[in-house]
């Protein structure tokens, strides 16, 4: 008799964005002519930059010729890509990495979900609340969560509320934790940590021999000085932090798939005898067993992000989405909404009017304005009473969505 992994049975019925898609499809069945504007899932809408497309085409041509054809690539990614990553994303900010500390992959979602596999099940996990659901769900699947408490939380997970009182920045945990997920610029609130604030987390992790899993997928959207782009800009972070980066939101790769994870050689976790083990070696072991790399044309396309034209075109993409963020933020403020984020991130976190529940406001926005957002409660109990809008829509739809919210709600 085949037995299920009962940890899966603790999970909410469906993944947040699948549940939203289900509700939108139901609505569309009943209202087939509704002109729906989707500002829900953080999926990009601008086409790939021309430099990226050109590099991918050339790489595909190479794959079609006997003399330039390539089979399996190097385990951690092609050097032509990892060298550019190290040079442009880190060395330029005073951070030195070696090639064997960078692992190219097909997405930060998979990496943030999978990384927990190298840790023991007895670790106590801390997450910000609200939080990108992947960190919690993947730990539930692994068996690290304990039971659901019926009020939106798992009993063994330590939730760090991000509220208006603490400026949407999590406070250090009051009880001991071992694995800490941080995402800055934050999904879903769009808020950031300053250098000094991030340093407190690095110091905490060093004092407690904890590991920080730092999701920096939205780093390219940082506009303000004193907001660190990488956790390794903080002294001591190489000892305690793993960082996740992605080309998805930076260069439009949500459908193309390329990302990377940095695992410095100093980051360690311990066995039951207290002996330290390098996470870099464990992650290499995991990836070489379960993953066979990103295709050559996609890695060639990602490398083109760092060419002179590539950098310019990516900057234009980010500027485009950040102008959308400004339009949403300022438009909603002018309409009397309380809004957060959207300054260093492509997400705007708005407080629902009159204390309305997140899912109720989601439904009302869909029914009355035909605009789709993401209910804050889907990101955790502290997200109740908020809704997230993304800046990844087209300019036209963004302007129309704000106009409709102002007029209809
Ligand atoms: C989101 O909407 O939160 C993102 O699209 C999630 C993701 O990148 O997987």
């Amino acid at each position: 008799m085949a037995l299920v992994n009962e940890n899966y049975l603790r999970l909410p019925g469906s993944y947040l964005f699948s549940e939203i898609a289900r509700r939108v499809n139901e609505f569309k069945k009943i209202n087939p002519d509704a002109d729906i504007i989707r500002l829900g899932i953080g999926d990009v809408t601008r086409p790939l930059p021309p430099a990226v497309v050109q590099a991918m085409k050339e790489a595909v041509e190479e794959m079609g010729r006997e003399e330039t054809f390539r089979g399996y690539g190097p385990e951690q990614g092609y050097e032509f890509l990892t060298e550019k990553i190290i040079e442009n994303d880190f060395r330029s900010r005073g951070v030195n990495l070696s090639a064997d500390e960078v692992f190219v992959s097909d997405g930060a979602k998979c990496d943030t979900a999978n990384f927990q596999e190298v840790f023991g099940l007895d670790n106590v996990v801390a997450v910000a609340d609200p939080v990108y659901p992947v960190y919690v769900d993947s730990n539930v699947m692994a068996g690290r969560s304990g039971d659901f408490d019926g009020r939106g939380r798992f009993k063994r997970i330590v939730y760090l509320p991000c509220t208006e009182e603490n400026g949407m920045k999590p406070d250090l945990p009051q009880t001991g934790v071992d694995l800490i997920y941080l995402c800055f610029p934050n999904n879903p609130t769009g808020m950031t940590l300053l250098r000094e604030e991030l340093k407190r987390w690095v110091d905490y992790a060093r004092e407690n021999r904890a590991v920080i899993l730092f999701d920096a997928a939205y780093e390219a959207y940082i506009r303000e000085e004193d907001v660190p782009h990488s956790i390794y800009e903080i002294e001591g972070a190489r000892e305690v932090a793993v960082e996740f980066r992605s080309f998805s939101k930076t260069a439009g790769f949500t459908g193309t798939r390329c990302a990377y994870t940095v695992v410095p050689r100093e980051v360690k976790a311990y066995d039951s005898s207290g002996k330290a083990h390098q996470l870099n070696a464990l992650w290499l072991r995991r990836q070489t067993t379960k993953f066979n790399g990103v295709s050559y044309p996609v890695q060639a396309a990602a490398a083109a992000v760092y060419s002179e034209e590539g950098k310019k075109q990516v900057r234009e993409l980010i500027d485009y989405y950040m102008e959308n963020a400004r339009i949403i933020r300022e438009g909603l403020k002018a309409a009397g909404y309380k809004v957060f984020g959207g300054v260093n991130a492509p997400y705007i976190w708005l407080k629902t009017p009159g204390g309305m529940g997140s899912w109720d406001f989601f439904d009302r926005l869909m029914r009355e304005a035909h605009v789709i957002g993401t209910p804050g409660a889907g990101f955790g109990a502290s997200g109740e009473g908020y809704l997230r809008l993304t800046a990844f829509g087209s300019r036209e739809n963004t302007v129309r969505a704000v106009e409709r919210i102002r007029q209809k709600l």
Side-chain angles (χ1 to χ4, degrees):
M1 181 174 67
L3 301 176
V4 293
N5 173 351
E6 292 195 16
N7 296 316
Y8 275 62
L9 308 181
R10 300 175 203 265
L11 288 165
S14 56
Y15 181 60
L16 172 61
F17 295 106
S18 315
E19 172 59 19
I20 292 172
R22 191 191 66 73
R23 289 192 186 212
V24 176
N25 287 338
E26 295 248 298
F27 179 78
K28 276 184 71 179
K29 257 191 236 149
I30 304 163
N31 304 278
D33 297 329
D35 171 21
I36 290 176
I37 300 177
R38 293 168 193 269
L39 301 183
I41 190 163
D43 194 6
V44 294
T45 52
R46 304 296 298 154
L48 290 171
V52 166
V53 173
Q54 185 57 30
M56 199 185 307
K57 277 188 188 163
E58 284 167 16
V60 170
E61 290 297 331
E62 282 179 52
M63 293 296 271
R65 285 195 299 269
E66 196 167 349
E67 52 299 359
T68 46
F69 171 77
R70 299 173 189 235
Y72 293 127
E75 288 167 344
Q76 291 188 223
Y78 284 102
E79 236 175 72
F80 65 73
L81 175 57
T82 48
E83 272 174 5
K84 288 195 174 64
I85 288 172
I86 292 171
E87 179 61 35
N88 291 277
D89 290 348
F90 295 95
R91 199 167 297 140
S92 64
R93 298 193 180 279
V95 173
N96 286 314
L97 296 178
S98 57
D100 61 359
E101 293 176 317
V102 178
F103 296 78
V104 174
S105 78
D106 60 352
K109 177 176 182 174
C110 349
D111 284 0
T112 53
N114 292 331
F115 206 89
Q116 48 77 27
E117 283 183 25
V118 303
F119 296 107
L121 292 184
D122 289 337
N123 284 293
V124 175
V125 173
V127 293
D129 175 18
V131 67
Y132 179 43
V134 169
Y135 316 148
V136 172
D137 288 5
S138 56
N139 277 287
V140 175
M141 290 169 176
R144 244 176 242 108
S145 67
D147 290 332
F148 197 57
D149 71 358
R151 281 171 284 123
R153 291 184 164 174
F154 288 93
K155 288 183 181 160
R156 277 199 70 229
I157 291 184
V158 173
Y159 294 85
L160 308 167
C162 296
T163 59
E164 289 179 45
E165 289 69 48
N166 63 14
M168 305 276 170
K169 299 175 189 222
D171 295 324
L172 291 174
Q174 296 303 308
T175 53
V177 303
D178 309 301
L179 307 178
I180 303 159
Y181 288 84
L182 293 180
C183 171
F184 288 102
N186 188 257
N187 178 13
T189 66
M191 301 298 271
T192 47
L193 287 190
L194 300 176
R195 211 168 291 278
E196 259 318 294
E197 293 164 337
L198 187 54
K199 183 172 181 310
R200 268 182 240 138
W201 285 95
V202 170
D203 293 347
Y204 173 94
R206 291 172 86 187
E207 278 155 28
N208 293 279
R209 296 203 285 181
V211 172
I212 299 174
L213 299 161
F214 191 74
D215 185 347
Y218 301 95
E219 161 278 334
Y221 290 83
I222 295 172
R223 290 287 162 104
E224 293 183 320
E225 292 292 318
D226 217 32
V227 176
H229 288 245
S230 165
I231 195 166
Y232 305 117
E233 291 174 45
I234 309 295
E235 196 197 332
R238 280 185 59 92
E239 293 162 32
V240 290
V242 170
E243 182 165 303
F244 304 93
R245 292 279 189 107
S246 170
F247 293 96
S248 285
K249 315 296 162 96
T250 310
F253 274 56
T254 53
T256 304
R257 310 307 305 152
C258 196
Y260 65 89
T261 289
V262 178
V263 193
R265 272 184 255 121
E266 291 92 320
V267 198
K268 299 198 172 63
Y270 302 83
D271 66 23
S272 45
S273 73
K275 184 171 170 231
H277 297 268
Q278 279 188 335
L279 291 187
N280 182 292
L282 297 179
W283 185 239
L284 178 64
R285 187 70 179 82
R286 192 268 174 209
Q287 288 297 77
T288 46
T289 302
K290 296 195 178 184
F291 182 61
N292 245 341
V294 176
S295 73
Y296 171 65
V298 169
Q299 292 196 56
V305 165
Y306 300 105
S307 64
E308 277 319 305
E309 326 83 84
K311 281 186 198 169
K312 188 171 157 283
Q313 292 160 5
V314 164
R315 240 188 333 267
E316 283 164 10
L317 266 188
I318 309 260
D319 286 349
Y320 179 93
Y321 292 131
M322 286 311 281
E323 174 60 10
N324 285 352
R326 190 195 63 75
I327 290 168
I328 300 174
R329 204 182 63 241
E330 293 183 1
L332 294 183
K333 263 192 188 163
Y337 285 88
K338 192 160 193 182
V339 296
F340 302 86
V343 175
N344 295 298
Y347 293 126
I348 289 90
W349 187 241
L350 69 97
K351 194 165 177 145
T352 60
M356 192 184 268
S358 296
W359 281 102
D360 290 343
F361 188 62
F362 165 88
D363 282 333
R364 188 166 161 212
L365 203 59
M366 178 167 69
R367 275 196 320 269
E368 293 176 24
H370 298 173
V371 172
I372 309 301
T374 306
F379 296 103
S382 299
E384 182 53 279
Y386 295 88
L387 181 120
R388 191 194 74 177
L389 293 175
T390 99
F392 289 127
S394 68
R395 176 66 40 76
E396 191 196 349
N397 277 347
T398 303
V399 170
R400 287 164 67 225
V402 172
E403 212 35 54
R404 284 192 200 167
I405 296 172
R406 293 176 68 160
Q407 281 171 7
K408 307 220 179 226
L409 285 141

